Amino acid sequence: EDDIIPRGYRHGDDLRRVHWRSTARYGELMVRREEQPQRARCTVLLDTRQVAYAGAGPDSAFEWAVSGAASALVHMLERGFAVRLLTDDGNAVPGEGSDGFAGSTQESADSAGLMLDTLAVVGHSDGGGLSRAHDVLRGSNEGLLIAFFGDLDEEQTSVAARMRQRAGAGVAFVLDSARWTGDSSPAGQAAAGRAEERLRQLREAGWTAVPVPPGAELPALWQLAGQLRADTESAGNGGPTGFPGGWS
């Protein structure tokens, strides 16, 4: 009884949970905190590096990535995950708790609003790498990692591969400039070939890596990611677990 940590009464709380001793002490209605089960966690990573995207405007790859990150974080919050938004420069939102994840169910709406507000004004970073984001993923088995990447060179593909080792599962949506700008020149075709190689390397590192063509819809790509994960598991390759489907 002495170890009870009460909180203030909220509309809708069960009156059977009122903690009368604390109510008398604080002079307001206090209730026992419900024991919160461990919530599955998800990090939504947005690559904002200017060097990773070509083109501008509402139909650009960067704007698709921003919109995709917003949709993903709302989708995961709706499914009861504790979510944080992380960018390539290492900044995490909401960052309220010690682990940087959104808190209880009651806080989900506020957390979603804060993250969406951040994405509404997000711009390109001047950084050239993903190492700061990698450093934030310092723990092991940090839950589901959903990443939206622009162009990845060999070095950044290696960093992304190590990110996957710090997550329980990883889904990467990759937007390469050659495809988004429609560059059919020899240089563009070579770039497209390198992009395919990067996808292969990410998959070998354990990512469920999905290429994003211009005009693609995220729910369809999400379903594709789920199918790729299922195929990996059925092949006995230890694919990522806990992939939430049911996009609405």
Side-chain angles (χ1 to χ4, degrees):
E1 182 74 12
D2 291 338
D3 293 333
I4 292 293
I5 302 177
R7 63 165 172 80
Y9 174 84
R10 295 171 181 162
H11 179 71
D13 281 340
D14 189 339
L15 290 177
R16 289 174 296 182
R17 293 175 46 224
V18 171
H19 191 246
W20 296 109
R21 184 180 299 176
S22 295
T23 297
R25 177 182 178 185
Y26 293 105
E28 62 176 303
L29 204 56
M30 306 292 288
V31 297
R32 302 169 188 267
R33 290 181 185 270
E34 293 179 344
E35 184 176 349
Q36 295 293 330
Q38 181 66 37
R39 302 178 73 202
R41 299 196 296 182
C42 172
T43 297
V44 177
L45 170 62
L46 175 62
D47 179 5
T48 67
R49 297 172 299 135
Q50 188 166 17
V51 297
Y53 298 93
D59 296 327
S60 65
F62 179 67
E63 290 300 323
W64 192 100
V66 172
S67 177
S71 296
L73 69 88
V74 171
H75 179 72
M76 301 308 296
L77 281 170
E78 288 176 345
R79 274 146 187 80
F81 281 69
V83 180
R84 67 177 170 183
L85 171 66
L86 177 65
T87 58
D88 56 283
D89 57 11
N91 290 326
V93 181
E96 296 167 345
S98 60
D99 58 2
F101 287 84
S104 66
T105 302
Q106 290 84 356
E107 294 171 336
S108 292
D110 291 340
S111 298
L114 180 58
M115 289 185 278
L116 291 174
D117 287 346
T118 300
L119 289 172
V121 296
V122 71
H124 286 296
S125 72
D126 295 329
L130 301 167
S131 59
R132 290 184 179 178
H134 170 270
D135 291 342
V136 173
L137 300 169
R138 58 188 178 275
S140 60
N141 195 25
E142 285 282 344
L144 178 62
L145 175 59
I146 304 173
F148 294 84
F149 291 127
D151 289 333
L152 296 170
D153 58 20
E154 184 174 357
E155 180 180 357
Q156 299 315 310
T157 301
S158 178
V159 175
R162 296 196 298 273
M163 286 181 181
R164 169 60 188 86
Q165 296 169 3
R166 297 191 169 190
V171 182
F173 298 98
V174 184
L175 300 86
D176 69 274
S177 295
R179 175 174 288 191
W180 275 78
T181 59
D183 187 356
S184 59
S185 68
Q189 293 176 7
R194 289 192 295 271
E196 288 296 326
E197 174 62 17
R198 304 306 182 217
L199 285 170
R200 183 190 64 79
Q201 292 174 321
L202 290 176
R203 289 166 182 159
E204 288 182 349
W207 285 94
T208 299
V210 180
V212 180
E217 296 184 355
L218 185 57
L221 294 179
W222 190 262
Q223 296 300 324
L224 174 59
Q227 184 59 54
L228 290 172
R229 166 209 174 251
D231 291 345
T232 300
E233 288 188 336
S234 64
N237 293 329
T241 59
F243 187 86
W247 194 281
S248 59

